[in-house]
Amino acid sequence: MSAHGGNTFVALNIAVLTVSDTRSEANDTSGQALVERLTQAGHHLADKAIVIDDVYQLRAQVSKWIADDNIHAIISTGGTGFTSRDNTPEALTPLFDKAIEGFGEVFRHVSLLEIGTSTIQSRAFGGIANKTVVLCVPGSTNACKTAWDKVIKEQLDASHRPCNFVPHLNTSAESSINKTSSTVDKCETRG
């Protein structure tokens, strides 16, 4: 498989984080929507947590997952708005080795069709840390569904072309992924 994408799906271990001061497992519809979608796509739920919107507790939880070589991706829901308790970007961006600027841009683009200009109030963002992709989306269930269905699902699918994130992750299939710099460079120069 090239860094552009391959022919074979690779099941990833994905952790789901719900950022909320009020949600519990009983009413976490956003986190549950992500869990349902990732498992339906053939991935594995590596872990799931609900953490209050506190910068240091968020960093602690995500740092633990980033340090775990068995976790390939983290999807966070909540804490991306503009209230005084929305701290996910401030908490997590310092952990990134590289930012994925395009993730927030594409998410807001596809959300524009659903919620109009209100999409500008989303601070959805992403990055890579220790070969783990971290994607952070708003806390609404519809936002989670949109993010997974229209952006995340393809980018976590090793067979998606022309590019996906799987070759950049610490996966057990890593040895079978051809990561030559020329193929990665070709994908990176596409726009």
Side-chain angles (χ1 to χ4, degrees):
M1 171 170 43
S2 76
H4 292 290
N7 297 323
T8 307
F9 176 83
V10 176
L12 301 176
N13 296 323
I14 302 174
V16 173
L17 174 66
T18 298
V19 179
S20 176
D21 293 337
T22 60
R23 294 206 184 159
S24 67
E25 286 299 330
N27 65 4
D28 179 20
T29 56
S30 298
Q32 192 55 42
L34 289 168
V35 169
E36 289 170 3
R37 280 169 161 67
L38 74 89
T39 55
Q40 287 171 358
H43 298 293
H44 306 288
L45 178 64
D47 199 3
K48 183 177 184 302
I50 299 174
V51 176
I52 63 168
D53 205 336
D54 174 82
V55 169
Y56 301 102
Q57 289 186 43
L58 294 173
R59 283 183 189 159
Q61 179 62 63
V62 174
S63 292
K64 176 183 159 190
W65 286 336
I66 289 168
D68 185 339
D69 287 340
N70 293 315
I71 295 180
H72 309 120
I74 300 165
I75 305 172
S76 170
T77 173
T80 61
F82 286 95
T83 73
S84 63
R85 293 294 297 161
D86 289 327
N87 295 307
T88 305
E90 292 76 17
L92 302 187
T93 55
L95 302 178
F96 296 163
D97 300 323
K98 293 186 183 218
I100 306 170
E101 289 88 353
F103 176 72
E105 295 165 1
V106 170
F107 173 77
R108 284 182 286 279
H109 175 77
V110 298
S111 294
L112 182 65
L113 300 173
E114 295 178 14
I115 64 170
T117 60
S118 293
T119 192
I120 67 170
Q121 294 195 29
S122 162
R123 296 191 300 153
F125 66 102
I128 295 179
N130 193 32
K131 296 186 179 181
T132 303
V133 65
V134 182
L135 302 171
C136 304
V137 301
S140 82
T141 304
N142 284 339
C144 290
K145 291 176 180 178
T146 296
W148 179 268
D149 295 346
K150 297 187 178 173
V151 185
I152 299 172
K153 181 179 178 181
E154 288 183 345
Q155 287 302 303
L156 297 183
D157 182 345
S159 64
H160 178 72
R161 291 193 181 266
C163 304
N164 65 76
F165 283 110
V166 177
H168 306 287
L169 307 179
N170 184 26
T171 64
S172 59
E174 190 172 31
S175 61
S176 67
I177 298 172
N178 176 6
K179 291 187 181 184
T180 64
S181 61
S182 63
T183 56
V184 172
D185 291 343
K186 287 178 190 174
C187 187
E188 290 173 350
T189 60
R190 292 188 57 87

